[in-house]
Amino acid sequence: MGREIARVVFDEQTIARRVAELGSEIAGYYDGEELLVIGLLKGSFIFVADLVRKISRPHRVDFLVAVSYGTGKVSSGAVRLLYDPETQLAGRHILVVDDIVDSGNTLNHVCRSIRKRHPKSLAACTLLHKRRAPHLEVEPRFVGFDAPHAFLVGYGLDHAEDFRHLPHIGTIEE
Ligand code: IMP
Ligand code: MG
C-alpha cells in the first residue's frame, strides 16, 4: 500500500531523552510562575502528553485546533482555528506547543490570536523546527530538534491522517 516509512529520522529513545530535557528547561524557565501550556491539535497530542509529564512543577494544559494542511504535503498558507480555549488567557504565562514549524504560518496565526487576549507572556515550544520560516512572530524558545527539509511523520505528525501513532519520526519518501 506504500504506507510505510522510508527512513527513521528520530527514534523513540532519542525523542524521549530530548522531551525530558525540554521539560526540565521549561520547568526552570517558569519557576514560580503560573503556567498554561496550550498544545496545537492534532499534531502535538503525543508530544504534549509526554512533555507535560516532564514539566515537574504545577501547570495547566489546554488545546487549540489549528489546521494549515489539507491532505497534501505543502502548506496551503491558510490557517483555520477550529477551537479557541474558553480558558482565561489574560494575565497568564502561555506556552504554545506545536509539533513542527515549517512555513511558520500556523504558529504566527496562533500567536497573533493569543496576543490579542493579553497574556502576561507568550512563548513557543516546538518539537521540530525546519528553520525555513521567513518571519516568526514568536521564535520558539524551546526546540526539540532541527528537522531536515523533508516531510516527516510519526509521533503525532501525519500524512493525510496516517502515521500519527508511530512511536518514532521518519520520512515517507527519500
Ligand atoms: P507551518 O504552518 O507551515 O509552519 O506548518 C505547521 C503545521 O503543519 C504543523 O503543526 C504540522 O501539523 C504541519 N506540518 C508541517 N510540516 C510537516 C511535516 O513535515 N510533516 C507533517 N506535518 C507537517
Ligand atoms: Mg498536521
Side-chain angles (χ1 to χ4, degrees), residues 25-89:
E25 278 176 43
I26 292 167
Y29 182 75
Y30 289 102
D31 193 26
E33 308 271 13
E34 243 184 59
L35 171 64
L36 172 63
V37 170
I38 299 185
L40 304 189
L41 292 176
K42 300 179 205 170
S44 75
F45 82 107
I46 295 180
F47 178 39
V48 170
D50 285 346
L51 181 67
V52 296
R53 283 178 287 176
K54 298 294 178 186
I55 303 176
S56 56
R57 39 143 300 146
H59 62 281
R60 292 184 179 176
V61 185
D62 211 325
F63 290 95
L64 197 143
V65 183
V67 182
S68 69
Y69 280 57
T71 54
K73 293 184 216 154
V74 181
S75 176
S76 65
V79 177
R80 288 180 299 147
L81 289 191
L82 297 182
Y83 167 71
D84 251 352
E86 301 260 307
T87 328
Q88 172 93 22
L89 301 188

